[in-house]
Amino acid sequence: MTSAAAPEWYKSAVFYELSVRTFADGNGDGKGDFPGLTGKLDYLRGLGVDVLWILPCYPSPLRDDGYDVADYVNIHPDLGTLDDFKVFLREAHARGLRVVTDFVTNHTSSDHPWFQAARRGPTLPDGSPNEYHDYYVWSDTGTEYAGARIIFTDTEVSNWTLDEQSGRYYWHRFFSSQPDLNYDNPRVVEEILQAARFWLDLGVDGFRVDAVPYLIEREGTNCENLPETHDILKRFRRMVDQDYPGRVLLAEANQWPEEVVEYFGTDADPEFHMCFNFPVMPRLYMSLKKEDTTSIREIMERLPAIPAFGQWVTFLRNHDELTLEMVTDDERAFMYAAYAPDTRMKINVGIRRRLAPLLDNDRRRVELLTTVLLALPGSPILYYGDEIGMGDDLSLADRNGVRTPMQWNAGMSGGFSTATPDQCFFPPIGDAVYGYGRVNVQSQEQDPSSLLKWTSRQLELRRRHPAFAVGDLTFIDTDNPAILAFTRRTGDETLLIVSNFAANAQAVHLNLGDYAGRVPVTLAGASPFPTIGDTPYSMILGKYDYYWLRLN
């Protein structure tokens, strides 16, 4: 697969996020691995996704599910070998699937050899300088950068931790086992760029770059989104454009729209190809409970213009908590009350639940939010298992409750492994509602009306209509706040998306005067609706109902 042949392939792509460790076990040791994942590539191609986003697969002590990297240029032995990875990459490309891997730039594991060497202090016993000490951010007092917020509020009380060996404090924006790298040190920048080159040389199609706002620290600031951080990231982009054209960089920057847009850079001075649209995600859920879609429209209209090469990335759920950082205090309180009635569901500033449990396992609501995800501007990401309605396990610590093994069939350990459930890295879900005996790929592949089959059909519909990927967005005025209506338009077609966020049937009048004389036709089935006239267009939608229409 040659990415350079279609340099903006990412704009029309549907991404699928998965953890190798919990997707498929190829050797029966209870841990997913690259041979197991390679054996499931035909399933992923058949589902209709285009890009596989692989969560961290580096050697790691796994205190943060691999985001605590101990070696940037190797594979965790649980997951296989570098040769296994190369086979996986080759087989994915042979099926037309691209591969984007997580790249953790902000910090390493405290087990990383760099940090272990750094702990010896700024000066070695022979009096020579310790070059690795300045790979990290140190303090003698642990009082600097007081304006920086604590991100993991459930576990950390400070961004500084005392290292007993060196007698100095080291800086960390996340867990204390993840010391931040010192990007004021040019050697660190070179090390990270070389690590990126390693994977790009192997053929990966890009990176989801983790925690990009926090690379640089400065007194008197909140140590986020600083100009020096952008300078480093633009250098990363220049390397990719010059030496690896057609590869993609996706920024994880959980910020307000006005701040996120800076990570795209400009057409003349580019930074990231893609950025997550974090703020819209919680508003989809909030609108569903309030039966009022005003907040979705407001946040989407607040998105600044982006460079011509840029693309937003949208999602409903992922491997982390449903973050509530980009909402007001009142909205956060509402979301906790509506979606986290059990205190175990809350973590940090968010909710640790999967899509189906969040929506009370209501198929109508799952379909509604999925269709909106696929229709809004941006490249959508599906989280593994959500296509079959997998549940979560609140008994597992941290965010691991939403990272349980993929459920392939009703056999041993849900077909994830030949090992027994208690021998698996995380136990497969086995309860009566979401357990693998009831919710699994095999049973849904045999049922034309299953959530899996429905998801695959929706992805195929989206693929047939480029306006979903690159069309302009225009919201349609309605007289009913429960109804979200908008068009996606290119020079070749105009699509009308109408969605009912209410728990009962709703009547609505749409202001479609600009399209008078056109006939709405359903994308699935090509059923014609009444011709649009000069007066408001009347529609009735059942509870949580939706229409994808083409205006002929």
Side-chain angles (χ1 to χ4, degrees):
M1 176 174 294
T2 304
S3 296
E8 294 190 348
W9 53 266
Y10 53 89
K11 287 189 175 182
S12 60
V14 175
F15 287 65
Y16 186 92
E17 179 192 359
L18 65 90
S19 168
V20 179
R21 188 170 283 104
T22 54
F23 200 67
D25 174 13
N27 62 6
D29 66 354
K31 302 165 186 173
D33 47 40
F34 279 106
L37 172 57
T38 303
K40 299 299 185 182
L41 289 174
D42 287 338
Y43 163 77
L44 294 167
R45 179 68 271 178
L47 176 61
V49 299
D50 306 293
V51 184
L52 307 183
W53 162 19
I54 305 298
L55 294 181
C57 52
Y58 312 99
S60 165
L62 300 181
R63 300 186 186 102
D64 188 21
D65 206 28
Y67 284 92
D68 45 335
V69 177
D71 181 354
Y72 278 106
V73 292
N74 214 329
I75 296 293
H76 195 292
D78 287 352
L79 309 183
T81 65
L82 269 176
D83 285 340
D84 292 331
F85 178 84
K86 293 174 184 177
V87 170
F88 154 71
L89 192 60
R90 182 190 70 213
E91 292 300 314
H93 285 166
R95 290 163 174 78
L97 294 167
R98 288 184 166 90
V99 176
V100 168
T101 61
D102 245 308
F103 194 58
V104 185
T105 54
N106 180 71
H107 51 263
T108 70
S109 166
S110 56
D111 288 9
H112 196 292
W114 296 345
F115 188 70
Q116 289 302 308
R119 298 179 67 202
R120 299 177 70 186
T123 305
L124 296 174
D126 63 3
S128 62
N130 179 4
E131 63 179 359
Y132 288 106
H133 191 71
D134 285 339
Y135 273 40
Y136 297 88
V137 181
W138 297 92
S139 166
D140 291 323
T141 63
T143 59
E144 292 87 348
Y145 315 132
R149 65 192 171 104
I150 297 172
I151 296 172
F152 285 170
T153 55
D154 282 7
T155 56
E156 305 299 325
V157 295
S158 172
N159 289 320
W160 291 105
T161 291
L162 178 65
D163 174 57
E164 298 290 348
Q165 181 175 335
S166 66
R168 305 189 75 198
Y169 294 86
Y170 63 88
W171 178 253
H172 55 89
R173 290 308 302 269
F174 296 94
F175 291 121
S176 59
S177 58
Q178 295 166 312
D180 278 25
L181 288 164
N182 176 18
Y183 278 88
D184 283 319
N185 182 345
R187 292 194 55 148
V188 168
V189 179
E190 287 301 326
E191 293 270 21
I192 293 301
L193 292 180
Q194 283 302 110
R197 284 182 179 276
F198 176 84
W199 296 104
L200 293 168
D201 287 340
L202 288 182
V204 301
D205 298 286
F207 299 114
R208 179 263 195 189
V209 189
D210 185 63
V212 296
Y214 316 111
L215 301 187
I216 292 289
E217 303 79 28
R218 291 291 181 267
E219 282 291 0
T221 75
N222 66 358
C223 300
E224 299 181 22
N225 311 312
L226 298 181
E228 297 91 336
T229 291
H230 287 288
D231 290 342
I232 293 165
L233 296 170
K234 287 176 181 177
R235 182 177 172 185
F236 195 176
R237 172 65 182 268
R238 287 194 296 271
M239 180 196 77
V240 170
D241 284 351
Q242 178 177 330
D243 298 336
Y244 306 95
R247 314 295 177 92
V248 69
L249 296 176
L250 164 58
E252 190 222 11
N254 187 1
Q255 307 283 325
W256 289 103
E258 298 81 4
E259 296 164 335
V260 174
V261 73
E262 298 297 325
Y263 288 91
F264 284 108
T266 65
D267 285 301
D269 193 15
E271 198 163 325
F272 282 89
H273 303 80
M274 312 179 82
C275 292
F276 285 103
N277 186 346
F278 275 99
V280 73
M281 179 268 301
R283 287 164 177 81
L284 296 174
Y285 294 97
M286 189 162 57
S287 296
L288 202 56
K289 282 291 185 180
K290 290 186 173 182
E291 300 188 355
D292 184 341
T293 62
T294 304
S295 65
I296 300 174
R297 180 167 176 167
E298 287 177 345
I299 201 67
M300 292 301 297
E301 291 178 336
R302 188 173 158 183
L303 293 180
I306 61 177
F309 62 78
Q311 176 71 312
W312 293 104
V313 174
T314 53
F315 62 99
L316 295 177
R317 286 298 297 114
N318 60 21
H319 63 288
D320 282 331
E321 66 270 32
L322 191 165
T323 178
L324 299 178
E325 290 184 296
M326 298 300 113
V327 297
T328 67
D329 291 343
D330 287 344
E331 289 170 337
R332 187 176 302 114
F334 175 85
M335 286 289 290
Y336 279 139
Y339 289 105
D342 185 331
T343 57
R344 296 179 301 163
M345 299 171 181
K346 302 177 184 178
I347 188 171
N348 300 318
V349 188
I351 301 170
R352 57 177 199 128
R353 301 184 74 188
R354 266 191 177 268
L355 178 62
L358 275 167
L359 303 180
D360 299 322
N361 207 25
D362 184 333
R363 171 78 176 267
R364 284 176 178 265
R365 283 186 278 173
V366 170
E367 289 187 6
L368 175 70
L369 288 196
T370 302
T371 57
V372 175
L373 170 73
L374 297 179
L376 282 174
S379 297
I381 293 181
L382 304 181
Y383 186 48
Y384 83 94
D386 282 350
E387 73 271 23
I388 59 172
M390 276 178 55
D392 45 44
D393 185 349
L394 296 178
S395 70
L396 296 177
D398 195 37
R399 293 153 292 178
N400 297 328
V402 301
R403 303 170 180 176
T404 56
M406 183 67 175
Q407 297 168 195
W408 295 102
N409 56 49
M412 174 73 74
S413 297
F416 161 73
S417 175
T418 56
T420 59
D422 63 298
Q423 294 175 319
C424 293
F425 186 83
F426 293 133
I429 292 176
D431 65 44
V433 177
Y434 298 105
Y436 55 81
R438 183 175 183 273
V439 177
N440 63 72
V441 169
Q442 185 180 69
S443 64
Q444 294 197 23
E445 283 183 329
Q446 298 168 359
D447 179 2
S449 65
S450 69
L451 179 60
L452 174 62
K453 289 293 189 179
W454 175 88
T455 302
S456 185
R457 289 192 295 270
Q458 291 302 119
L459 294 180
E460 178 59 28
L461 270 181
R462 187 183 190 276
R463 181 174 290 104
R464 291 178 192 170
H465 298 276
F468 280 123
V470 296
D472 293 333
L473 170 73
T474 302
F475 284 101
I476 302 299
D477 291 332
T478 78
D479 59 354
N480 186 336
I483 304 297
L484 182 71
F486 56 88
T487 58
R488 302 296 310 281
R489 183 170 57 181
T490 65
D492 298 323
E493 67 177 350
T494 298
L495 305 180
L496 173 64
I497 313 302
V498 188
S499 306
N500 177 17
F501 278 65
N504 46 59
Q506 297 287 310
V508 65
H509 295 89
L510 307 178
N511 184 4
L512 296 175
D514 291 342
Y515 303 101
R518 296 202 187 191
V519 177
V521 177
T522 60
L523 298 189
S527 299
F529 279 36
T531 302
I532 299 170
D534 295 323
T535 58
Y537 192 80
S538 299
M539 297 182 75
I540 296 177
L541 292 88
K543 72 173 185 177
Y544 305 131
D545 205 358
Y546 62 89
Y547 289 117
W548 281 8
L549 304 160
R550 179 172 181 170
L551 300 184
N552 289 346

Short mmCIF file of all heavy atoms in Angstrom, two decimals, residues 486-526:
data_model
loop_
_atom_site.label_atom_id
_atom_site.label_comp_id
_atom_site.label_asym_id
_atom_site.label_seq_id
_atom_site.Cartn_x
_atom_site.Cartn_y
_atom_site.Cartn_z
N PHE A 486 -29.11 18.48 9.60
CA PHE A 486 -28.04 19.19 8.91
C PHE A 486 -27.81 18.57 7.54
O PHE A 486 -28.25 17.44 7.27
CB PHE A 486 -26.73 19.16 9.72
CG PHE A 486 -26.23 17.80 10.10
CD1 PHE A 486 -25.40 17.07 9.26
CD2 PHE A 486 -26.58 17.23 11.33
CE1 PHE A 486 -24.92 15.82 9.62
CE2 PHE A 486 -26.10 15.97 11.70
CZ PHE A 486 -25.27 15.27 10.84
N THR A 487 -27.14 19.32 6.68
CA THR A 487 -26.78 18.80 5.37
C THR A 487 -25.27 18.66 5.30
O THR A 487 -24.52 19.36 5.97
CB THR A 487 -27.24 19.73 4.23
OG1 THR A 487 -26.66 21.03 4.40
CG2 THR A 487 -28.75 19.83 4.20
N ARG A 488 -24.83 17.70 4.48
CA ARG A 488 -23.43 17.55 4.08
C ARG A 488 -23.42 17.66 2.56
O ARG A 488 -24.10 16.89 1.89
CB ARG A 488 -22.87 16.19 4.53
CG ARG A 488 -22.94 15.93 6.03
CD ARG A 488 -22.08 16.89 6.84
NE ARG A 488 -20.71 17.02 6.37
CZ ARG A 488 -19.73 16.15 6.61
NH1 ARG A 488 -19.99 15.07 7.35
NH2 ARG A 488 -18.51 16.36 6.15
N ARG A 489 -22.67 18.62 2.05
CA ARG A 489 -22.81 18.94 0.63
C ARG A 489 -21.46 19.05 -0.06
O ARG A 489 -20.52 19.68 0.45
CB ARG A 489 -23.58 20.25 0.48
CG ARG A 489 -23.85 20.66 -0.96
CD ARG A 489 -24.83 21.81 -1.03
NE ARG A 489 -24.36 22.97 -0.26
CZ ARG A 489 -25.03 24.10 -0.13
NH1 ARG A 489 -26.24 24.22 -0.67
NH2 ARG A 489 -24.54 25.10 0.56
N THR A 490 -21.35 18.42 -1.22
CA THR A 490 -20.25 18.63 -2.15
C THR A 490 -20.84 19.14 -3.46
O THR A 490 -22.06 19.32 -3.58
CB THR A 490 -19.49 17.31 -2.41
OG1 THR A 490 -20.37 16.39 -3.09
CG2 THR A 490 -18.99 16.68 -1.12
N GLY A 491 -19.99 19.35 -4.46
CA GLY A 491 -20.50 19.79 -5.75
C GLY A 491 -21.33 18.74 -6.45
O GLY A 491 -22.12 19.07 -7.34
N ASP A 492 -21.20 17.50 -6.01
CA ASP A 492 -21.90 16.40 -6.69
C ASP A 492 -23.16 15.94 -5.98
O ASP A 492 -24.02 15.32 -6.61
CB ASP A 492 -20.96 15.20 -6.84
CG ASP A 492 -19.74 15.53 -7.70
OD1 ASP A 492 -19.91 16.27 -8.67
OD2 ASP A 492 -18.64 15.05 -7.36
N GLU A 493 -23.27 16.17 -4.66
CA GLU A 493 -24.44 15.66 -3.96
C GLU A 493 -24.70 16.46 -2.69
O GLU A 493 -23.80 17.09 -2.13
CB GLU A 493 -24.28 14.17 -3.62
CG GLU A 493 -23.20 13.87 -2.61
CD GLU A 493 -23.10 12.39 -2.25
OE1 GLU A 493 -24.00 11.61 -2.64
OE2 GLU A 493 -22.14 12.01 -1.56
N THR A 494 -25.95 16.42 -2.26
CA THR A 494 -26.35 17.01 -0.99
C THR A 494 -27.07 15.95 -0.18
O THR A 494 -28.05 15.35 -0.65
CB THR A 494 -27.29 18.22 -1.20
OG1 THR A 494 -26.60 19.23 -1.94
CG2 THR A 494 -27.74 18.80 0.14
N LEU A 495 -26.56 15.70 1.02
CA LEU A 495 -27.17 14.74 1.93
C LEU A 495 -27.87 15.48 3.06
O LEU A 495 -27.35 16.47 3.59
CB LEU A 495 -26.11 13.80 2.51
CG LEU A 495 -25.24 13.05 1.49
CD1 LEU A 495 -24.23 12.16 2.22
CD2 LEU A 495 -26.09 12.22 0.54
N LEU A 496 -29.03 15.00 3.45
CA LEU A 496 -29.78 15.55 4.57
C LEU A 496 -29.85 14.50 5.67
O LEU A 496 -30.31 13.38 5.44
CB LEU A 496 -31.20 15.94 4.14
CG LEU A 496 -32.16 16.37 5.26
CD1 LEU A 496 -31.69 17.66 5.93
CD2 LEU A 496 -33.59 16.54 4.69
N ILE A 497 -29.39 14.87 6.86
CA ILE A 497 -29.39 13.97 8.01
C ILE A 497 -30.36 14.53 9.06
O ILE A 497 -30.21 15.68 9.50
CB ILE A 497 -27.98 13.86 8.63
CG1 ILE A 497 -26.92 13.63 7.54
CG2 ILE A 497 -27.95 12.78 9.69
CD1 ILE A 497 -27.13 12.42 6.70
N VAL A 498 -31.33 13.73 9.45
CA VAL A 498 -32.32 14.15 10.44
C VAL A 498 -32.37 13.10 11.54
O VAL A 498 -32.55 11.91 11.26
CB VAL A 498 -33.72 14.32 9.81
CG1 VAL A 498 -34.68 14.94 10.81
CG2 VAL A 498 -33.65 15.18 8.54
N SER A 499 -32.20 13.53 12.80
CA SER A 499 -32.10 12.59 13.93
C SER A 499 -32.97 13.05 15.08
O SER A 499 -32.93 14.24 15.46
CB SER A 499 -30.64 12.49 14.40
OG SER A 499 -29.78 12.17 13.32
N ASN A 500 -33.70 12.12 15.65
CA ASN A 500 -34.59 12.41 16.78
C ASN A 500 -33.93 11.95 18.08
O ASN A 500 -33.79 10.75 18.31
CB ASN A 500 -35.93 11.71 16.59
CG ASN A 500 -36.87 11.92 17.77
OD1 ASN A 500 -36.67 12.82 18.59
ND2 ASN A 500 -37.90 11.08 17.87
N PHE A 501 -33.56 12.89 18.94
CA PHE A 501 -32.91 12.58 20.21
C PHE A 501 -33.91 12.38 21.35
O PHE A 501 -33.49 12.28 22.51
CB PHE A 501 -31.92 13.69 20.57
CG PHE A 501 -30.58 13.57 19.89
CD1 PHE A 501 -30.46 13.68 18.51
CD2 PHE A 501 -29.44 13.33 20.62
CE1 PHE A 501 -29.24 13.57 17.88
CE2 PHE A 501 -28.19 13.22 20.01
CZ PHE A 501 -28.10 13.34 18.63
N ALA A 502 -35.19 12.30 21.04
CA ALA A 502 -36.21 12.15 22.07
C ALA A 502 -36.65 10.70 22.21
O ALA A 502 -36.55 9.90 21.28
CB ALA A 502 -37.43 13.02 21.75
N ALA A 503 -37.15 10.37 23.41
CA ALA A 503 -37.57 9.01 23.72
C ALA A 503 -38.99 8.72 23.26
O ALA A 503 -39.55 7.68 23.60
CB ALA A 503 -37.46 8.77 25.22
N ASN A 504 -39.58 9.62 22.49
CA ASN A 504 -40.89 9.38 21.91
C ASN A 504 -40.95 10.03 20.54
O ASN A 504 -40.06 10.80 20.16
CB ASN A 504 -42.02 9.90 22.82
CG ASN A 504 -41.73 11.29 23.34
OD1 ASN A 504 -41.56 12.22 22.56
ND2 ASN A 504 -41.64 11.43 24.66
N ALA A 505 -42.00 9.70 19.77
CA ALA A 505 -42.12 10.22 18.42
C ALA A 505 -42.20 11.75 18.43
O ALA A 505 -42.77 12.35 19.35
CB ALA A 505 -43.35 9.61 17.74
N GLN A 506 -41.66 12.37 17.40
CA GLN A 506 -41.61 13.82 17.32
C GLN A 506 -42.00 14.29 15.92
O GLN A 506 -41.62 13.69 14.92
CB GLN A 506 -40.20 14.34 17.62
CG GLN A 506 -39.70 14.04 19.02
CD GLN A 506 -40.37 14.89 20.08
OE1 GLN A 506 -40.44 16.11 19.95
NE2 GLN A 506 -40.86 14.25 21.13
N ALA A 507 -42.76 15.39 15.89
CA ALA A 507 -43.04 16.08 14.64
C ALA A 507 -42.09 17.27 14.53
O ALA A 507 -41.71 17.87 15.54
CB ALA A 507 -44.49 16.56 14.60
N VAL A 508 -41.71 17.60 13.30
CA VAL A 508 -40.77 18.69 13.11
C VAL A 508 -41.03 19.34 11.76
O VAL A 508 -41.49 18.70 10.81
CB VAL A 508 -39.31 18.19 13.19
CG1 VAL A 508 -38.99 17.23 12.06
CG2 VAL A 508 -38.32 19.34 13.23
N HIS A 509 -40.74 20.63 11.69
CA HIS A 509 -40.77 21.36 10.44
C HIS A 509 -39.35 21.85 10.16
O HIS A 509 -38.73 22.51 11.00
CB HIS A 509 -41.73 22.55 10.50
CG HIS A 509 -43.16 22.14 10.68
ND1 HIS A 509 -43.73 21.96 11.92
CD2 HIS A 509 -44.13 21.86 9.76
CE1 HIS A 509 -45.00 21.59 11.77
NE2 HIS A 509 -45.25 21.52 10.47
N LEU A 510 -38.83 21.51 8.97
CA LEU A 510 -37.47 21.86 8.59
C LEU A 510 -37.48 23.01 7.59
O LEU A 510 -38.29 23.03 6.66
CB LEU A 510 -36.77 20.65 7.95
CG LEU A 510 -36.76 19.34 8.73
CD1 LEU A 510 -36.06 18.26 7.91
CD2 LEU A 510 -36.07 19.52 10.06
N ASN A 511 -36.59 23.94 7.77
CA ASN A 511 -36.47 25.07 6.85
C ASN A 511 -35.58 24.65 5.68
O ASN A 511 -34.36 24.83 5.71
CB ASN A 511 -35.88 26.28 7.58
CG ASN A 511 -35.81 27.51 6.70
OD1 ASN A 511 -36.27 27.49 5.55
ND2 ASN A 511 -35.24 28.58 7.21
N LEU A 512 -36.19 24.09 4.65
CA LEU A 512 -35.46 23.57 3.49
C LEU A 512 -35.75 24.38 2.24
O LEU A 512 -35.65 23.88 1.11
CB LEU A 512 -35.84 22.10 3.26
CG LEU A 512 -35.44 21.11 4.36
CD1 LEU A 512 -35.98 19.72 4.04
CD2 LEU A 512 -33.93 21.06 4.53
N GLY A 513 -36.10 25.65 2.42
CA GLY A 513 -36.47 26.48 1.28
C GLY A 513 -35.41 26.55 0.20
O GLY A 513 -35.72 26.69 -1.00
N ASP A 514 -34.13 26.44 0.58
CA ASP A 514 -33.05 26.50 -0.41
C ASP A 514 -33.06 25.29 -1.34
O ASP A 514 -32.38 25.31 -2.38
CB ASP A 514 -31.69 26.58 0.28
CG ASP A 514 -31.47 27.90 1.00
OD1 ASP A 514 -32.20 28.87 0.69
OD2 ASP A 514 -30.58 27.97 1.86
N TYR A 515 -33.82 24.26 -0.97
CA TYR A 515 -33.84 23.03 -1.76
C TYR A 515 -35.22 22.77 -2.37
O TYR A 515 -35.55 21.63 -2.70
CB TYR A 515 -33.40 21.85 -0.90
CG TYR A 515 -32.03 22.04 -0.29
CD1 TYR A 515 -31.89 22.43 1.04
CD2 TYR A 515 -30.89 21.87 -1.05
CE1 TYR A 515 -30.64 22.64 1.60
CE2 TYR A 515 -29.63 22.07 -0.50
CZ TYR A 515 -29.51 22.46 0.82
OH TYR A 515 -28.27 22.67 1.36
N ALA A 516 -36.02 23.81 -2.53
CA ALA A 516 -37.37 23.66 -3.09
C ALA A 516 -37.28 22.99 -4.46
O ALA A 516 -36.42 23.31 -5.28
CB ALA A 516 -38.04 25.02 -3.20
N GLY A 517 -38.17 22.03 -4.64
CA GLY A 517 -38.21 21.30 -5.90
C GLY A 517 -37.44 20.00 -5.86
O GLY A 517 -37.60 19.15 -6.75
N ARG A 518 -36.60 19.80 -4.86
CA ARG A 518 -35.84 18.56 -4.77
C ARG A 518 -36.66 17.49 -4.05
O ARG A 518 -37.54 17.78 -3.25
CB ARG A 518 -34.52 18.79 -4.02
CG ARG A 518 -33.57 19.73 -4.74
CD ARG A 518 -32.15 19.50 -4.28
NE ARG A 518 -31.22 20.48 -4.82
CZ ARG A 518 -29.91 20.37 -4.73
NH1 ARG A 518 -29.36 19.31 -4.12
NH2 ARG A 518 -29.11 21.29 -5.23
N VAL A 519 -36.27 16.23 -4.31
CA VAL A 519 -36.97 15.09 -3.71
C VAL A 519 -36.01 14.37 -2.77
O VAL A 519 -34.99 13.83 -3.23
CB VAL A 519 -37.47 14.12 -4.79
CG1 VAL A 519 -38.14 12.90 -4.14
CG2 VAL A 519 -38.43 14.82 -5.74
N PRO A 520 -36.30 14.33 -1.46
CA PRO A 520 -35.47 13.53 -0.55
C PRO A 520 -35.67 12.04 -0.82
O PRO A 520 -36.81 11.57 -0.93
CB PRO A 520 -35.99 13.91 0.84
CG PRO A 520 -36.76 15.19 0.65
CD PRO A 520 -37.32 15.10 -0.74
N VAL A 521 -34.55 11.31 -0.92
CA VAL A 521 -34.60 9.87 -1.17
C VAL A 521 -33.70 9.19 -0.14
O VAL A 521 -32.56 9.62 0.09
CB VAL A 521 -34.10 9.54 -2.60
CG1 VAL A 521 -34.07 8.04 -2.82
CG2 VAL A 521 -34.98 10.23 -3.64
N THR A 522 -34.19 8.14 0.49
CA THR A 522 -33.39 7.47 1.51
C THR A 522 -32.16 6.82 0.87
O THR A 522 -32.23 6.29 -0.23
CB THR A 522 -34.21 6.39 2.24
OG1 THR A 522 -34.66 5.42 1.28
CG2 THR A 522 -35.41 7.00 2.94
N LEU A 523 -31.05 6.88 1.59
CA LEU A 523 -29.82 6.25 1.08
C LEU A 523 -29.95 4.74 1.09
O LEU A 523 -29.39 4.05 0.23
CB LEU A 523 -28.61 6.69 1.91
CG LEU A 523 -28.28 8.18 1.92
CD1 LEU A 523 -26.94 8.41 2.61
CD2 LEU A 523 -28.25 8.75 0.52
N ALA A 524 -30.62 4.20 2.09
CA ALA A 524 -30.86 2.76 2.16
C ALA A 524 -32.25 2.49 1.61
O ALA A 524 -33.26 2.87 2.21
CB ALA A 524 -30.75 2.27 3.60
N GLY A 525 -32.34 1.87 0.45
CA GLY A 525 -33.63 1.52 -0.12
C GLY A 525 -34.13 2.45 -1.19
O GLY A 525 -35.07 2.13 -1.92
N ALA A 526 -33.57 3.66 -1.28
CA ALA A 526 -33.95 4.64 -2.31
C ALA A 526 -35.44 4.94 -2.31
O ALA A 526 -36.07 5.08 -3.37
CB ALA A 526 -33.50 4.15 -3.69
#
